[in-house]
Structures are given as C-alpha cells and as structure tokens.
Amino acid sequence: MSAEATVKISAGCKIRNYSESEAKQTAQVVRNRNVSARVSGPRDFYYQRAENLSDKTVVEIINSDQILSDERLSHEAKLAEAVLVASIVLQGDRSSFLSSVVGVREEFFDLNITKDARETSVSSTSQVEKEPSGLAVDSTAARRFRKNGFPDLYAIANGDSKLSTRLERSLGWLIQSRTDKSVSSAIVKTSTALETLVVIGREPTRRALSERGAYILSDDPDERRRISRAIKTFYSKRGNIVHGKGDVSDEETVRILEFGDRLSVLIALVLSSNGNKWENADDVRRHCDAVRWGEDRTCSRPWSRRYLNTALNRLP
C-alpha cells in the first residue's frame, strides 16, 4: 500500500505513512534500548529495519491494556490490511489493482523480427515490466472506509465468534483472488470467498447463495430477484470457465470476477453490521428463512446503494 492519508481501522489501529523523522527516532530508541544495537550501531539488523521504515506505509497498533503476543499483533495487522484492501475493491478495477499490488512482470519476453528485401521490422506483445506502486490510500479511500461499515467489519472479524472466522477466511480468499493473475483460478477463489460467508455444510451452494444473498442485500422484491438471478448467472459462468464449456473471453471473465469480488465485500459488510444479532451462519440462515416465509424482517446495510448497483452492472 501507499498511504497518503491516515485510515483509522479501530480505536487502537491505524494504517498510515511513517515519516523520515519518526523512522530515525524509532531507530534511535532501538539503539538505546538494545545492547546489540548499541554495540553494532547502524549495522544492527533491528536498527536498519527501523530506519528503513522512512516514508513507508505501516500498520500501527497501540494497545495500552495488555501486552499482545507477536502472533496476535501480526494477525491484527494482516487483518487490518485485508479489510482496507476490501474497501478498495469497491472502487476501481482488477487490472489497476493487479498493477499496483503485483506489478507487471512477464513470464517470457517475445521479440518478433521480420525482414524483407527492403527493411527490418521489430514488434512485441509483451508489456513493459514495472514494479508494484502500492494501492493508493488517499483521503477519499479513508472516507469510504469510515462511511461504509469497514470499521465494524474489522471489529467483528477480529472477534472470536463463528461469524468472525467466516469473515476472516472470506477476506483471505478475496485477497488471494484479487492478486491472482490467472482469471480462471481467481474466479474459483472469489466463489469460495462468497460461499464461506453464508453456505452451511453440503447444502446446494448456488441456491443457498442466490437466496440468502438477495435477502441480505435488499428489502425490495424486484431488486432481490435481480440479485438472485445475477448470482445464478455468476455460478453458471463460473462453471463454464472452470470446466472449459462455451467460449468465455478473458474480458468477460474479468467482469464476472468484479461482480463476485464486490458482492462478497457487500455481504461481509452486512454480516458484520448485524454482528450483534448474528453470531454464526445459522443465525443468518434463520433470518433469511423467516423473510422467505413472509416475516417482516430487515437488517442493517451500512454501505451506499450505489455500490450494489455498480456490482450488478459489472455482470455481462
């Protein structure tokens, strides 16, 4: 990531840019408090790591209540990054995301040289390689994170309920999909991210997700039907891509992926926003069953409706 603005993930967690002066100050603290660093000076490993934080994006966790283990701190930092990445998925496109996070690297470079009696021409289909620039995190990204329920997503996913586990695993699959250059394997990971949120056991995946997704994402009957049809279309296209049926272009696959990625984020946000009454997938199922049988129930949806419309419009 490349943070231009500070994003408050929770009361004790921020993602922000670490200035040069802060990095030097931290390096000096390391040198003063560590015997090895005092002896080795600037050659010390920890001193160098601290100094190299200059102008880098960091996850800053401050917890005055208790001393957290290294494993717990690492877990919270990775989760904070995953939730912020999920917020960026709602805006932008897969190609820009890949370029920013993975960069442009070709497995091979082709150079085509054609000669005739009069001249020689040179061409290539390979792209110019470039290093990843990092996802831009500006004030707009920070505002989108704050206003659309992402702090709650971090809080619930960082908990110890069964719903917390599902949310964290779904985010993991989403990140794996979003950083996969192969659209064919990425779509499997995106569908897994969706299924992890609401599908229980061995129940029919397509039916469970199309019904619950519709009830979770909207109260409007017409919109629910549109969501349900869209999810069924997603799974039909996924099957064709995975099993090599039909002719689905890479461009069409990317649009299908964009729909699935965004839908998984929106569903996750609704689940976390209702985390006070839904502790596991069975609670979500019971809510959806009650709505299906005519009970007048609704749920909190923390995001702007335009994100749902954008996701639905991504589907070819």
Side-chain angles (χ1 to χ4, degrees):
M1 289 190 182
S2 178
E4 301 168 14
T6 297
V7 180
K8 183 179 178 181
I9 307 296
S10 69
C13 179
K14 296 177 183 178
I15 293 182
R16 66 182 185 89
N17 179 269
Y18 212 64
S19 69
E20 181 181 358
S21 61
E22 287 177 305
K24 287 182 177 179
Q25 184 179 6
T26 302
Q28 193 59 47
V29 169
V30 169
R31 187 173 184 181
N32 293 339
R33 299 294 180 88
N34 186 286
V35 175
S36 175
R38 286 201 300 271
V39 173
S40 303
R43 295 176 312 210
D44 179 73
F45 171 79
Y46 295 106
Y47 181 94
Q48 290 178 351
R49 291 296 295 271
E51 195 173 46
N52 287 340
L53 290 174
S54 174
D55 200 30
K56 297 290 195 304
T57 297
V58 301
V59 181
E60 182 180 65
I61 298 175
I62 300 175
N63 191 325
S64 58
D65 296 333
Q66 57 181 318
I67 298 176
L68 301 177
S69 67
D70 291 348
E71 291 78 11
R72 185 64 193 179
L73 285 169
S74 177
H75 171 268
E76 292 191 6
K78 289 177 181 178
L79 181 59
E81 183 181 39
V83 175
L84 181 55
V85 168
S87 74
I88 294 171
V89 167
L90 288 185
Q91 195 74 28
D93 61 86
R94 180 178 175 82
S95 176
S96 299
F97 187 100
L98 272 171
S99 177
S100 298
V101 175
V102 181
V104 178
R105 293 186 179 89
E106 298 286 348
E107 294 182 4
F108 61 90
F109 175 78
D110 70 284
L111 187 64
N112 308 312
I113 302 174
T114 305
K115 293 183 178 180
D116 58 29
R118 302 180 60 183
E119 61 181 18
T120 299
S121 62
V122 180
S123 63
S124 174
T125 62
S126 301
Q127 299 183 61
V128 177
E129 293 195 358
K130 63 178 182 179
E131 292 298 314
S133 59
L135 292 172
V137 181
D138 54 15
S139 57
T140 301
R143 187 165 55 251
R144 180 172 58 247
F145 185 94
R146 185 178 68 253
K147 288 188 173 182
N148 291 282
F150 288 98
D152 283 341
L153 177 55
Y154 174 78
I156 299 299
N158 199 28
D160 55 6
S161 69
K162 291 182 178 180
L163 181 61
S164 302
T165 302
R166 283 181 176 260
L167 289 169
E168 185 178 0
R169 287 177 179 171
S170 178
L171 287 168
W173 282 112
L174 175 66
I175 302 302
Q176 287 190 48
S177 170
R178 205 69 179 179
T179 53
D180 193 335
K181 288 187 175 182
S182 168
V183 290
S184 298
S185 60
I187 199 166
V188 175
K189 296 169 184 175
T190 291
S191 58
T192 305
L194 281 164
E195 294 158 19
T196 300
L197 292 170
V198 296
V199 178
I200 302 170
R202 296 186 178 182
E203 63 182 347
T205 299
R206 177 171 155 171
R207 186 182 71 188
L209 195 51
S210 62
E211 286 184 1
R212 288 171 202 159
Y215 293 135
I216 288 168
L217 294 172
S218 180
D219 289 332
D220 179 79
D222 290 336
E223 194 168 54
R224 282 175 175 169
R225 280 190 283 271
R226 186 186 177 195
I227 294 167
S228 180
R229 286 195 299 268
I231 293 174
K232 289 176 181 176
T233 300
F234 170 83
Y235 270 91
S236 295
K237 297 285 188 181
R238 172 200 177 279
N240 290 342
I241 293 165
V242 172
H243 301 296
K245 298 178 181 178
D247 185 18
V248 184
S249 66
D250 281 353
E251 181 180 353
E252 187 177 0
T253 304
V254 168
R255 293 193 63 180
I256 295 165
L257 268 170
E258 288 286 0
F259 165 79
D261 289 348
R262 293 167 189 245
L263 210 70
S264 69
V265 174
L266 294 175
I267 292 175
L269 287 169
V270 176
L271 297 185
S272 59
S273 183
N274 295 273
N276 60 330
K277 60 181 178 180
W278 298 342
E279 294 187 354
N280 52 56
D282 282 317
D283 290 339
V284 179
R285 176 184 56 80
R286 281 189 285 269
H287 169 87
C288 294
D289 286 348
V291 175
R292 181 160 59 92
W293 290 108
E295 287 191 28
D296 186 16
R297 291 193 184 187
T298 188
C299 59
S300 170
R301 300 180 182 97
W303 30 258
S304 168
R305 284 179 56 83
R306 68 185 177 89
Y307 291 121
L308 176 59
N309 291 329
T310 300
L312 291 169
N313 290 335
R314 282 293 187 274
L315 201 63

